[in-house]
Amino acid sequence: MEKYLVKTAENFQVEVDIPGSKSVANRALIIAAFAEGETLLKNMLFSDDTKYMMEALRKLGNTVIANEENKTVHVISNKNRIFDCAEEIFVGNAGTAMRFLPSYIATGKGTVTLTGIERMKQRPIKDLADSLLSLGVDVQYIGNEGFPPIKIFANGVKNNEVIVKGNMSSQYLTSLLLAAPYFENDTTIKIDGNLVSIPYVNITIKMMEDFGVKVENRENKEFFIKSGQKYKGMDYIVEGDCSSASYFFAMAPITNSKVKINNVKKDAMQGDIKLLDVLQEMGAKIEYGDNFVIVEGTGKLKGVTVDMHHMSDVAQTLSVVAMFAEGKTEIKNVYNMRIKETDRIKAVYNELTKLGAKVTELYDGLVIEPSEKYNEGIEIDTYDDHRMAMSFSLAGLKVKNTFINDPGCVSKTFPNYFEQFEKIYNKE
């Protein structure tokens, strides 16, 4: 297995560039596949997840022209949405693709099978499938009930009311929202339970409005979308990925350094920008610019108790920061981490414990207490999870001879992560 040795570093100054947001990019691709006219996406992220989405949309009859050098994608939609897919559409372990595509497909005509890697076949999709079934869409499981692969017999969406569970993933709701303007009748989506990851729902609604479609949000309990609205093709800039930026946000206070992170704004749509507030509470100094953030360590970090319900994708990042803070850090209300690329709560517990941190695993979070001395020469397992590789690379900046196994898994969202990471060694 390929390994990456992290070299220790501290008291450096560095400037890094953050790629476009995966969450924004894959929403934009779905919208562009619906839109009237042509769409040009700028500052596009080219990663495993976005490439799987682009290829899926091509197989569904859309024209998708990618220019990685210019970071642009030109989309011309398959307006009729008549799908002729004899072969399965493979989406790897891209959760957004597996969850956003079914509702898009349902609005058209044809039979489409969606599948992925073995881990994807363990990631639940029943809540979305149940919602589509209640809307009159014929969805069938090919393997285990409740999990991909699934086959969709698309013939339009005729029913006008649906209930979707909100407690495990907001992506099921986003899938329905993105497609609802193209359902045959006005649609009311009702939420069963408490809605997780509300900032991601807000991203969806904001982007729909950017492309010309209005959603009536009734206090996150119910959503109303008028049928017949159309997305308008346009030039659209994909904002920088705050989840990807989180590793560089955290790098500064861990190493008592100064890091400038480009392509990130204080008013970013993504909820993960709020990690900066947590780091500031812990002791970091934050400065915001027009399209950048500067984070500076102050030589001291203190533990915090934080509800990360709406920013669970950066909980791994904070878990590693907690190793180097004074006192206990408690990360709460992130039970949905267990159905991500891996069971992230269990994975973080395993690797922090291996390094020598004192960790308590909770059903919905972690309690982390620092140790006076950490174990050197440790190999960090990454569980085919890009965020495990990136977050635990930060531990290696302080703990000697830390190896990251399978560093290539970062290609899922941040293919040149280690190239950006290594800038710190040239700036000491």
Side-chain angles (χ1 to χ4, degrees):
M1 181 188 289
E2 187 186 355
K3 296 179 176 64
Y4 178 85
L5 172 61
V6 185
K7 293 176 284 184
T8 56
E10 60 183 354
N11 300 313
F12 54 81
Q13 291 192 30
V14 71
E15 183 173 342
V16 296
D17 299 314
I18 300 302
S21 161
K22 177 196 75 171
S23 300
V24 174
N26 272 353
R27 282 166 172 78
L29 284 167
I30 288 284
I31 289 171
F34 277 119
E36 293 186 336
E38 302 182 11
T39 300
L40 183 66
L41 303 177
K42 301 176 179 178
N43 192 41
M44 187 64 181
L45 170 68
F46 289 92
S47 69
D48 290 351
D49 279 20
T50 58
K51 287 176 180 178
Y52 280 128
M53 180 69 92
M54 285 185 246
E55 185 55 29
L57 291 175
R58 288 188 190 102
K59 287 181 176 177
L60 291 166
N62 300 281
T63 300
V64 182
I65 303 165
N67 186 325
E68 291 198 38
E69 187 177 344
N70 293 336
K71 298 181 182 176
T72 60
V73 175
H74 180 201
V75 182
I76 304 170
S77 66
N78 171 9
K79 290 180 184 177
N80 297 323
R81 293 192 302 287
I82 296 173
F83 307 126
D84 182 17
C85 294
E87 60 182 294
E88 295 180 332
I89 293 179
F90 181 82
V91 298
N93 200 14
T96 49
M98 180 58 78
R99 291 163 179 170
F100 294 173
L101 285 166
S103 301
Y104 166 77
I105 292 164
T107 65
K109 293 187 184 301
T111 302
V112 181
T113 300
L114 295 174
T115 191
I117 67 169
E118 283 306 309
R119 173 60 184 168
M120 178 58 77
K121 294 173 185 178
Q122 300 164 7
R123 299 178 69 180
I125 201 164
K126 186 176 189 301
D127 291 347
L128 176 61
D130 285 351
S131 294
L132 290 172
L133 286 164
S134 76
L135 283 165
V137 181
D138 188 354
V139 181
Q140 294 181 10
Y141 300 110
I142 292 173
N144 293 327
E145 183 173 344
F147 300 89
I150 58 171
K151 183 176 283 191
I152 302 148
F153 299 85
N155 191 30
V157 180
K158 298 168 180 60
N159 296 353
N160 62 1
E161 187 172 294
V162 60
I163 297 171
V164 62
K165 289 184 179 176
N167 64 329
M168 293 307 290
S169 174
S170 66
Q171 290 178 2
Y172 307 137
L173 170 60
T174 281
S175 178
L176 296 168
L177 284 171
L178 290 170
Y182 294 82
F183 295 173
E184 294 179 20
N185 295 292
D186 298 349
T187 303
T188 301
I189 304 172
K190 296 183 176 182
I191 306 302
D192 178 8
N194 292 323
L195 184 59
V196 299
S197 304
I198 288 173
Y200 285 102
V201 178
N202 294 339
I203 290 173
T204 303
I205 294 171
K206 171 69 165 61
M207 291 182 66
M208 291 172 72
E209 289 176 350
D210 289 344
F211 281 86
V213 166
K214 293 194 180 306
V215 176
E216 186 182 331
N217 180 353
R218 299 168 180 168
E219 299 181 341
N220 293 316
K221 300 291 184 188
E222 193 173 284
F223 299 82
F224 176 79
I225 309 94
K226 197 157 187 58
S227 179
Q229 298 184 81
K230 304 290 185 188
Y231 295 119
K232 304 293 188 291
M234 61 185 287
D235 289 6
Y236 188 83
I237 298 172
V238 175
E239 71 177 25
D241 194 311
C242 294
S243 306
S244 295
S246 76
Y247 314 108
F248 297 99
F249 295 164
M251 177 186 287
I254 286 174
T255 62
N256 198 29
S257 299
K258 186 174 183 178
V259 182
K260 182 179 181 184
I261 304 105
N262 294 322
N263 298 331
V264 178
K265 295 181 178 181
K266 184 177 184 178
D267 62 353
M269 291 188 289
Q270 301 154 76
D272 289 347
I273 194 71
K274 298 295 185 186
L275 179 64
L276 289 170
D277 295 340
V278 179
L279 294 175
Q280 189 169 38
E281 183 184 347
M282 295 178 82
K285 182 181 172 186
I286 315 292
E287 178 186 337
Y288 295 95
D290 288 341
N291 195 29
F292 66 86
V293 175
I294 296 173
V295 185
E296 192 170 357
T298 59
K300 192 167 184 179
L301 277 169
K302 63 176 183 178
V304 290
T305 296
V306 56
D307 184 329
M308 301 193 80
H309 189 56
H310 297 311
M311 50 174 166
S312 61
D313 276 349
V314 293
Q316 287 150 294
T317 312
L318 187 63
S319 298
V320 175
V321 177
M323 291 174 62
F324 309 107
E326 286 186 10
K328 181 172 67 177
T329 293
E330 184 173 357
I331 294 169
K332 302 165 62 176
N333 208 9
V334 288
Y335 54 85
N336 59 322
M337 286 175 68
R338 293 195 181 274
I339 62 164
K340 299 284 188 172
E341 283 77 351
T342 187
D343 179 341
R344 286 178 168 168
I345 292 176
K346 175 65 74 178
V348 169
Y349 170 82
N350 290 345
E351 302 313 302
L352 286 179
T353 302
K354 197 187 288 184
L355 285 163
K358 302 166 192 168
V359 191
T360 303
E361 177 187 350
L362 310 173
Y363 165 69
D364 67 342
L366 295 154
V367 180
I368 302 154
E369 296 183 69
S371 294
E372 289 184 14
K373 192 174 189 305
Y374 287 107
N375 300 322
E376 298 178 358
I378 296 298
E379 293 188 6
I380 299 295
D381 291 319
T382 51
Y383 308 80
D384 197 24
D385 183 351
H386 54 132
R387 301 210 186 284
M388 287 298 293
M390 292 186 279
S391 57
F392 277 85
S393 68
L394 301 175
L397 294 173
K398 295 282 282 185
V399 184
K400 290 180 181 176
N401 296 320
T402 298
F403 292 85
I404 305 297
N405 287 335
D406 188 25
C409 67
V410 301
S411 63
K412 182 174 171 65
T413 53
F414 199 163
N416 70 334
Y417 171 75
F418 284 105
E419 183 182 316
Q420 293 292 316
F421 185 86
E422 291 201 346
K423 287 182 177 182
I424 65 178
Y425 302 118
N426 303 321
K427 297 287 184 180
E428 290 186 57

